[in-house]
Amino acid sequence: MLKFLIAIAAGLVCGVLSGFGIGGGTLLMVWMTALMSMEQKIAQGVNLLYFLPTAAAALILHAKNRVLVWRAIVPAAIAGCATAVLGALLAAHVDTELLRKLFGGFLVLVGLSEIFWKGKRTGKT
């Protein structure tokens, strides 16, 4: 029962972050793989299914608030869909341990980017 309540809490936190558009699914992946010891490929599938309803809910509200720029969304969505297919095909043939390391490395690079370069990119400190 405790694991179920923790899963609900993780879903709530990641849902709020997804609503902000800041990658709640990435944190969900970390929670599933690092804290729940879920296999990387299974966590990826769960994350993709989690993403569909949370993205749909956020999209509806962002559309209602008229904060969507369709000329940017359409080409990005087309390119993203095409490369997602390629990425999924590639991930199916890559060793799980390598996927974990690549994902961890990606998170480290994003974190370092936020720490060291964000202020320089935006002109803020």
Side-chain angles (χ1 to χ4, degrees), residues 113-125:
S113 171
E114 289 296 310
I115 291 169
F116 293 110
W117 295 290
K118 182 160 181 138
K120 293 177 183 173
R121 283 193 311 258
T122 62
K124 299 177 185 175
T125 56

Side-chain angles (χ1 to χ4, degrees), residues 2-16 28 31 50:
L2 182 60
K3 282 188 176 185
F4 181 73
L5 293 174
I6 292 171
I8 289 174
L12 290 171
V13 169
C14 293
V16 168
L28 187 65
W31 174 72
Y50 166 86

Side-chain angles (χ1 to χ4, degrees), residues 18-39:
S18 293
F20 290 151
I22 56 174
T26 302
L27 293 177
L28 187 65
M29 285 290 297
V30 171
W31 174 72
M32 289 186 293
T33 57
L35 301 177
M36 298 300 293
S37 300
M38 190 177 289
E39 185 182 330

Side-chain angles (χ1 to χ4, degrees), residues 38-42 91 94-101:
M38 190 177 289
E39 185 182 330
Q40 180 80 21
K41 289 180 183 180
I42 293 172
V94 174
D95 179 60
T96 300
E97 191 59 33
L98 178 59
L99 282 176
R100 288 179 71 108
K101 289 177 182 177

Side-chain angles (χ1 to χ4, degrees), residues 25-88:
T26 302
L27 293 177
L28 187 65
M29 285 290 297
V30 171
W31 174 72
M32 289 186 293
T33 57
L35 301 177
M36 298 300 293
S37 300
M38 190 177 289
E39 185 182 330
Q40 180 80 21
K41 289 180 183 180
I42 293 172
Q44 288 170 200
V46 171
N47 187 44
L48 290 171
L49 287 174
Y50 166 86
F51 176 75
L52 293 174
T54 57
L59 179 62
I60 290 167
L61 292 172
H62 286 337
K64 180 181 175 190
N65 292 327
R66 300 184 189 277
V67 292
L68 300 175
V69 180
W70 290 103
R71 67 181 177 274
I73 293 169
V74 172
I78 292 169
C81 287
T83 54
V85 170
L86 295 174

